[in-house]
Amino acid sequence: MPMPPEPPFQHRPYDGSTRPFTVGLKPIGEETWLEPDQFLDAHLAEKERLFAQDLRAVFRAEEDTCAAQREVLDLVTDNLMRFHPLTHRVEAGSATVIGTGRRIAFGQEPALLTASKLVQEDLVIMREGPDGYRLVAASVCFPSSWRLSEKIGRSMSGIHEGVPDFNGARMGQVVGRLFENLATDQLVCRFNWSIYPDDNLHHPIPEGIAFAVTEESLARLFLRVERQTLRRLPKSGDIVFTIRIHHDPLAKLAEQEDRKRIASDLRSQLMDLTADQLDYKGMIRARDEIAETLERM
């Protein structure tokens, strides 16, 4: 049975409900932890391509993470079995992604890699260390302007080096306390967003908008929304961090019934970004043109 299409602009972190470069965590239920949608087959195919092309570029794991990886796989398969029977079937020793021809066997590769081949989310394991939580294992096929090879093994402060308002500011302290106090029965979610010049999922290299933005060229841009979740693994005590990419083509904006509100909300957040924040998002040159075009809409 095909899945009903998810509407564009499903998640709108730019609507004023959260502020960019803040923690902005909200509790979620187990049933919404993972988000399979009509792009499941395409996203998994892109993961397969990246795994085959250069596995170490998108998957890394320290040797003592095997048990934590299995915990993640157990959580993922249990969630798929309970809440996503239209897209996944879990059996003894394997899982099937329904309608795609994919049957993933367990035990033939690192468990985190197996889990990543079942879902659209990227999966990251964070472990407590002397300098705070650090990245010890990850399958990250769809990074937003960063490379896994440069982040593996690093602490939260190291991972976020160069991110405006994180290190030396309240945000880094809040994230540190969150990681320390997160209970095993808590699931929390936050969002990031930016505007990208294309809909490529794999974006390890920062790429700003280099062309002049008009109403015609605005339709070539994509809102890239990252939905991130956090939960503590019940046995190891490590934290699993998921990242799910949603692409909203701005070409579809004119078709939305509430397009005026979407354009207004997006413009307001763009205009509120500082120069450092705009530079980090790759929009320092194009912000005013985008804002003016959205205002005309």
Side-chain angles (χ1 to χ4, degrees):
M1 179 185 296
M3 296 188 65
E6 294 287 349
F9 309 101
Q10 175 188 3
H11 296 302
R12 303 178 186 180
Y14 43 82
D15 64 1
S17 57
T18 59
R19 289 176 51 241
F21 298 95
T22 61
V23 179
L25 285 168
K26 296 180 180 179
I28 59 171
E30 181 81 27
E31 71 280 0
T32 60
W33 181 44
L34 302 173
E35 289 190 326
D37 63 15
Q38 76 268 29
F39 302 112
L40 177 62
D41 189 22
H43 286 196
L44 293 184
E46 178 63 359
K47 282 190 175 188
E48 288 175 358
R49 185 187 73 81
L50 293 165
F51 291 143
Q53 175 179 283
D54 186 357
L55 182 61
R56 281 184 56 79
V58 292
F59 179 81
R60 296 286 183 99
E62 295 184 0
E63 289 184 3
D64 60 348
T65 61
C66 294
Q69 291 187 53
R70 287 193 294 270
E71 282 190 85
V72 175
L73 178 58
D74 288 345
L75 285 173
V76 166
T77 53
D78 177 70
N79 185 277
L80 294 173
M81 197 164 39
R82 289 194 290 147
F83 300 108
H84 302 289
L86 293 181
T87 57
H88 293 79
R89 183 171 62 252
V90 180
E91 302 157 329
S94 69
T96 300
V97 187
I98 298 170
T100 69
R102 291 181 178 83
R103 180 179 174 275
I104 311 298
F106 302 155
Q108 298 183 3
E109 60 192 356
L112 192 67
L113 184 59
T114 299
S116 183
K117 290 181 177 181
L118 294 171
V119 295
Q120 289 161 264
E121 285 79 3
D122 282 330
L123 304 170
V124 175
I125 297 176
M126 306 293 296
R127 175 169 293 173
E128 190 172 14
D131 300 322
Y133 278 79
R134 64 186 189 89
L135 197 163
V136 294
S139 175
V140 180
C141 291
F142 308 144
S144 297
S145 303
W146 60 279
R147 292 183 177 91
L148 178 58
S149 61
E150 298 171 354
K151 306 295 184 181
I152 187 72
R154 302 186 74 179
S155 66
M156 289 296 291
S157 60
I159 290 170
H160 291 88
E161 186 177 331
V163 177
D165 308 320
F166 192 92
N167 290 324
R170 184 172 180 271
M171 184 177 179
Q173 298 170 0
V174 170
V175 170
R177 288 196 297 271
L178 164 73
F179 273 55
E180 291 173 3
N181 298 321
L182 189 67
T184 54
D185 60 351
Q186 283 182 292
L187 276 78
V188 292
C189 169
R190 69 181 300 272
F191 291 91
N192 283 332
W193 68 269
S194 193
I195 298 177
Y196 273 59
D198 56 52
D199 63 347
N200 292 339
L201 289 164
H202 184 64
H203 251 296
I205 301 172
E207 184 176 351
I209 299 166
F211 50 83
V213 178
T214 63
E215 287 192 27
E216 180 180 7
S217 63
L218 186 76
R220 291 155 48 194
L221 300 178
F222 287 79
L223 266 168
R224 184 181 177 100
V225 175
E226 275 191 0
R227 181 183 185 261
Q228 305 172 353
T229 76
L230 292 165
R231 68 186 299 174
R232 189 177 298 282
L233 299 176
K235 296 177 182 177
S236 64
D238 295 340
I239 288 176
V240 59
F241 179 76
T242 74
I243 310 167
R244 169 75 158 83
I245 300 298
H246 293 265
H247 275 130
D248 295 324
L250 287 177
K252 296 284 187 180
L253 180 54
E255 302 172 10
Q256 308 306 305
E257 291 185 3
D258 56 347
R259 58 189 174 276
K260 291 184 179 180
R261 189 178 75 178
I262 297 173
S264 175
D265 290 343
L266 184 55
R267 181 188 179 280
S268 293
Q269 281 220 342
L270 275 171
M271 298 307 294
D272 285 343
L273 293 173
T274 68
D276 285 345
Q277 292 168 347
L278 284 168
D279 188 42
Y280 181 77
K281 287 179 176 287
M283 294 188 292
I284 197 163
R285 296 180 180 178
R287 189 273 300 271
D288 291 344
E289 294 172 333
I290 295 172
E292 290 172 7
T293 305
L294 288 169
E295 187 173 21
R296 289 195 296 272
M297 292 183 73

